[in-house]
């Protein structure tokens, strides 16, 4: 068998893998008209397919008297406390961009400290497209800014004042996973900010309080058709003139998908999540997130990250599929660590290459 014939045979196996998956997997999103029981949530997690859940609220009982679609609620609760806000010149807080010399870089946002009242003023001062103001503001710290299961040296969560209003856990997910939420986060932004395509190693419960979130989803298997490459990292800095520009970070390269176009072979699922609705997003599902403001000019969401159980059989099959994809010449599939030489410390202190600290990534 020639080299070309071997590649064609391997590609045929990957195509069959995707067809076999689609033979049994649901095409549409599962919709629950009321919050699931713990047993139903366990089945939902085992099914590993996205679901929309209606009738759930992350608010404690007393907090339901407030109108959480309105900015004044967030202003009053947070007061003069300053929080970390991501600022970008293109609305993509964590994404790949091409530099003037033709090279690429993974760019993280410029972080600034301000009150939520100041943030909302920025969001409401310009409800048009990004080009009207030149910058996008997004509260997206996602390191457990309301609750976190593990204390950090930098102190309490920035938004712990919201603990009097937001539940620490989703009871049916806590029972289903057997774990407390590792992080609970508040997100505030507008349509200028888009979260680029990525995947997380957590079970995600995502609730919209104001506006809409538009999720574009791909299953982990379909991720084998994406072109994920390593890019040198950088962070936006302000120049003396006030403009934002990428500045190199002396850290390890970042694996990321740069294209905004999906390969023809994959079938993205589009989910429009409205005020009061909740999305269950299984661990390792690829997702891109866009948003639209509500009547008050803001988009607000709460999310809970739960640890995902590692199934040894799925773990082994997933690594086998990646090896086959690499042998077929798909260099956009990240190699299984240890299978080939990689630059020293490319994964940082943890050389597994499998998971990242959510505090370091835009989600």
């Amino acid at each position: 068998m020639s080299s070309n014939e071997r590649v064609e045979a391997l590609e045929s196996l990957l195509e069959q893998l995707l067809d076999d998956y689609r033979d049994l997997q649901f095409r549409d999103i599962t919709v629950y008209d009321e919050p699931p029981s713990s047993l139903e949530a366990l089945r939902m997690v085992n099914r590993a397919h996205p679901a929309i859940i209606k009738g759930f609220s992350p608010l404690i009982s007393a907090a339901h008297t407030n109108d959480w679609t309105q900015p004044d609620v967030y202003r009053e609760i947070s007061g003069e406390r300053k929080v970390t806000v991501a600022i970008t010149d293109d609305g993509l807080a964590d994404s790949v961009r091409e530099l003037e010399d033709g090279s690429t870089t993974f760019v993280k946002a410029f972080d600034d400290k301000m009150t939520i009242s100041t943030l909302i003023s920025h969001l409401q001062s310009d409800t048009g497209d990004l080009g009207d103001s030149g910058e996008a503001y997004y509260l997206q710290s996602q390191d457990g800014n309301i609750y976190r299961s593990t204390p950090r040296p930098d102190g309490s969560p920035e938004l712990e004042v919201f603990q009097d209003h937001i539940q620490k856990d989703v009871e049916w997910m806590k029972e289903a996973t057997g774990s407390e939420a590792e992080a609970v986060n508040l997100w505030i932004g507008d349509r200028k900010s888009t979260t680029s395509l990525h995947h997380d190693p957590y079970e995600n419960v995502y609730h919209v309080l104001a506006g809409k979130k538009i999720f574009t989803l791909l299953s982990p298997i379909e991720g084998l058709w994406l072109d994920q490459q390593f890019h040198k990292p950088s962070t936006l800095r302000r120049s003396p003139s006030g403009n934002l520009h990428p500045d190199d970070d002396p850290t390890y390269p970042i694996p990321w998908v740069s294209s905004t176009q999906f390969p023809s072979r994959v079938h993205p699922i589009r989910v429009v999540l409205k005020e009061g609705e909740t999305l269950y997003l299984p661990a390792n599902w690829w997702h891109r997130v866009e948003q639209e403001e509500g009547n008050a000019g803001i988009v607000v969401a709460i999310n809970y990250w739960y640890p995902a159980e590692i199934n040894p059989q799925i773990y082994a099959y997933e690594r086998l599929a990646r090896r086959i994809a690499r042998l077929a010449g798909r260099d956009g599939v990240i190699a299984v660590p240890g299978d080939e030489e990689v630059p020293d410390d490319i994964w940082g202190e943890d050389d597994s290459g499998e998971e990242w600290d959510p505090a370091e990534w835009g989600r």
Side-chain angles (χ1 to χ4, degrees), residues 10 20 24 28 36 45 64 67 73-74 82 89 95 97 104 110 135 149 158 165 191 230 290 308 312 315 317 337:
L10 292 170
D20 290 344
L24 294 180
D28 297 324
V45 171
H64 283 277
D67 184 353
V73 173
Y74 307 95
K82 290 190 175 182
D89 54 356
S95 63
R97 67 172 68 178
T104 60
F110 172 70
E135 293 183 348
S149 61
E158 285 188 325
H165 307 271
R191 71 179 62 211
F230 284 93
E290 301 160 280
Y315 172 81
Y317 278 135

Side-chain angles (χ1 to χ4, degrees), residues 307-323:
E309 182 176 350
I310 298 178
N311 182 302
Q313 185 166 273
I314 294 175
Y315 172 81
Y317 278 135
E318 186 269 341
R319 291 163 78 91
L320 173 62
R322 283 164 62 185
R323 291 184 174 109

Side-chain angles (χ1 to χ4, degrees), residues 1 38 51 83 147 149 223 269 316 333:
M1 181 181 291
S38 299
V83 299
Y147 293 102
S149 61
I269 301 174
V333 174

Side-chain angles (χ1 to χ4, degrees), residues 184-289:
V184 182
N185 303 293
L186 178 69
W187 309 72
I188 302 177
D190 61 14
R191 71 179 62 211
K192 294 176 193 161
S193 295
T194 296
T195 302
S196 62
L197 187 68
H198 69 284
H199 63 107
D200 302 309
Y202 297 98
E203 308 288 359
N204 194 350
V205 177
Y206 200 102
H207 181 87
V208 175
L209 290 170
K212 295 179 183 177
K213 294 277 186 172
I214 300 96
F215 287 80
T216 304
L217 309 176
L218 283 180
S219 68
I221 283 181
E222 289 175 301
L224 295 171
W225 275 258
L226 298 176
D227 184 16
Q228 192 176 190
Q229 301 290 342
F230 284 93
H231 307 272
K232 63 181 181 182
S234 62
T235 300
L236 290 177
R237 318 281 186 197
R238 280 212 187 276
S239 66
S241 63
N243 294 325
L244 295 173
H245 64 93
D247 190 25
D248 289 349
D249 287 336
T251 54
Y252 49 90
I254 307 298
W256 210 260
V257 176
S258 60
S259 176
T260 58
Q261 303 298 315
F262 291 103
S264 59
R265 189 68 172 92
V266 305
H267 297 162
I269 301 174
R270 187 174 185 268
V271 178
V272 178
L273 200 64
K274 303 173 184 177
E275 289 175 3
E277 293 182 335
T278 303
L279 174 68
Y280 162 63
L281 181 61
N284 295 313
W285 270 69
W286 294 84
H287 51 290
R288 181 173 69 202
V289 190

